[in-house]
Amino acid sequence: MSHYAEHVPPATTETGRLLEQVLMEVKKVIVGQDRMVERMLVALLSRGHVLLEGVPGVAKTLAVETLGNVVGGTATRLQFTPDLVPSDILGTRVYRPSQERFDVELGPVFANLVLADEINRAPAKVQSALLEVMAEHQVTIGGQTFPLPEPFLVLATQNPIESEGVYALPEAQRDRFLLKIEVPHPSMAEELEIVRRMSVGKPSAAQILDPERLMAAQAEADRVFVHHAIAEYAVRLVMVTRDPAAWGAPELVPHIANGASPRGSIGLVQAARALALLRGRTYVLPGDIADLAVDVLAHRLVLTYDALADAVPPRAIVERVLAVVGQPVVAPAQSSGAPAYTSTAPAQSTPAA
């Protein structure tokens, strides 16, 4: 038996059935946008935050609210505006004259799912206040540290077409998001279905999960096996963004000022585990990494001024990276049905001497 097959954990049909029900309930409300819904579930299973970017009216907020209803737990919606201050979302100390002491009033960020609507409308002070929340899952007020409830997830939305009253997210905060999902307009057939559903009465989704079952599904995703060749493939993708010339993509040098951080490598593997579980597998395939590469890496790239002036999309850069780095070669399936790998990526993915 191969080294790969020995480490494949047993399948859990209960988890797969629950996740399928979650997808079905969300799709009762959300028409189309299959990729967005799948990626949001990937983030839930891999404990990563999500940034949804799209023009107004493409169901970003509705998708987040629907997902919150389906997975259960507590959920809050924060409408970000330019006059927001950190205490509005984190909480503050309140003086009680009758007791002659200060009490801490916790803010609305203390919930399982936090919808940060139009996050780029908040000033830098508010955005920086979210860094500790997103990374450490805790809030510090008046010298006291308060842990956030688990599971905890921030789902943020932003509008890419407005420039007035908008504060671009700093690189440090963009890096905290596991996935950035671009939400397109629906097709004509999808929009006809949207009109049909909404003209009769708004559909609603039933609750399928609760915090305990969601954490059990997250633990199941943690046990999805990742072959060392696939982990190496994920790291190679990130390496190309940092030093394109050395890794066989010199044409990208004028476009990338700074490549993806180690969070990119960790996020690729973490999200691929969740995607494999959603697709009914207990092991990750190279295609899972490739499918997620744009969503995990594109928003982590810092482009040069020339690339910004030429309107080079980060998505195109990651797609070029995927073309340069070959996927691991899959050997014939073993008796267990899990693939093994006979080699790592091709020679062009090795840094130049």
Side-chain angles (χ1 to χ4, degrees):
M1 184 178 291
S2 70
H3 172 76
Y4 184 98
E6 290 174 353
H7 290 77
V8 174
T12 302
T13 56
E14 178 68 14
T15 301
R17 183 183 63 80
L18 286 174
L19 294 176
E20 185 178 2
Q21 287 183 352
V22 169
L23 281 171
M24 291 174 62
E25 286 298 320
V26 174
K27 289 181 179 297
K28 285 182 181 178
V29 179
I30 304 300
V31 178
Q33 305 294 7
D34 293 342
R35 182 169 168 274
M36 174 185 70
V37 174
E38 182 185 60
R39 297 301 194 261
M40 288 169 62
L41 273 176
V42 165
L44 270 177
L45 292 172
S46 52
R47 306 179 185 87
H49 308 294
V50 182
L51 179 61
L52 301 176
E53 183 177 88
V55 297
V58 291
K60 301 185 300 296
T61 303
L62 180 61
V64 174
E65 292 178 339
T66 303
L67 185 65
N69 293 336
V70 174
V71 301
T74 56
T76 56
R77 175 178 176 178
L78 307 176
Q79 190 66 47
F80 280 52
T81 56
D83 61 346
L84 208 65
V85 295
S87 60
D88 290 335
I89 61 174
L90 303 182
T92 188
R93 300 176 73 201
V94 178
Y95 183 68
R96 309 289 186 192
S98 60
Q99 302 173 8
E100 296 186 351
R101 65 181 176 85
F102 283 95
D103 286 340
V104 173
E105 293 286 344
L106 301 180
V109 77
F110 284 84
N112 297 119
L113 292 181
V114 176
L115 167 57
D117 213 4
E118 297 198 76
I119 190 173
N120 55 336
R121 289 197 175 278
K125 184 179 290 187
V126 175
Q127 293 182 7
S128 63
L130 282 177
L131 292 180
E132 182 185 17
V133 171
M134 295 171 65
E136 279 79 40
H137 291 196
Q138 64 184 29
V139 169
T140 303
I141 303 174
Q144 289 181 273
T145 299
F146 301 90
L148 291 161
E150 295 293 345
F152 175 75
L153 186 71
V154 173
L155 299 109
T157 70
Q158 67 177 9
N159 180 353
I161 62 174
E162 290 190 46
S163 57
E164 292 188 13
V166 169
Y167 303 82
L169 295 181
E171 286 78 6
Q173 187 164 8
R174 290 207 311 266
D175 202 38
R176 294 306 201 278
F177 287 101
L178 173 65
L179 302 170
K180 179 184 176 183
I181 307 169
E182 296 179 3
V183 187
H185 279 297
S187 65
M188 181 173 179
E190 291 169 347
E191 193 143 346
L192 281 171
E193 178 62 18
I194 292 171
V195 171
R196 186 190 69 79
R197 288 191 192 183
M198 295 302 177
S199 61
V200 177
K202 283 189 176 182
S204 59
Q207 180 179 338
I208 302 298
L209 298 177
D210 53 41
E212 290 73 24
R213 284 192 284 185
L214 176 56
M215 286 191 288
Q218 291 173 339
E220 184 74 18
D222 291 341
R223 293 193 292 271
V224 172
F225 179 68
V226 180
H227 192 276
H228 66 84
I230 294 180
E232 182 181 343
Y233 172 55
V235 173
R236 284 175 184 269
L237 294 175
V238 173
M239 290 296 113
V240 176
T241 68
R242 295 184 195 166
D243 193 353
W247 290 85
E251 68 276 13
L252 296 180
V253 172
H255 300 313
I256 304 176
N258 286 292
S261 73
R263 285 196 185 103
S265 302
I266 297 169
L268 267 177
V269 175
Q270 185 181 2
R273 281 192 165 104
L275 186 61
L277 183 63
L278 272 177
R279 293 176 175 177
R281 282 183 274 105
T282 55
Y283 52 89
V284 173
L285 293 177
D288 298 328
I289 299 287
D291 286 350
L292 291 162
V294 171
D295 299 321
V296 174
L297 298 181
H299 65 284
R300 303 178 193 275
L301 303 180
V302 179
L303 305 187
T304 62
Y305 288 115
D306 289 341
L308 294 173
D310 295 337
V312 177
R315 167 182 290 272
I317 293 176
V318 178
E319 288 171 349
R320 175 56 187 158
V321 170
L322 286 168
V324 170
V325 181
Q327 295 185 10
V329 179
V330 182
Q334 306 297 313
S335 58
S336 65
Y341 295 90
T342 56
S343 67
T344 57
Q348 72 264 27
S349 297
T350 304

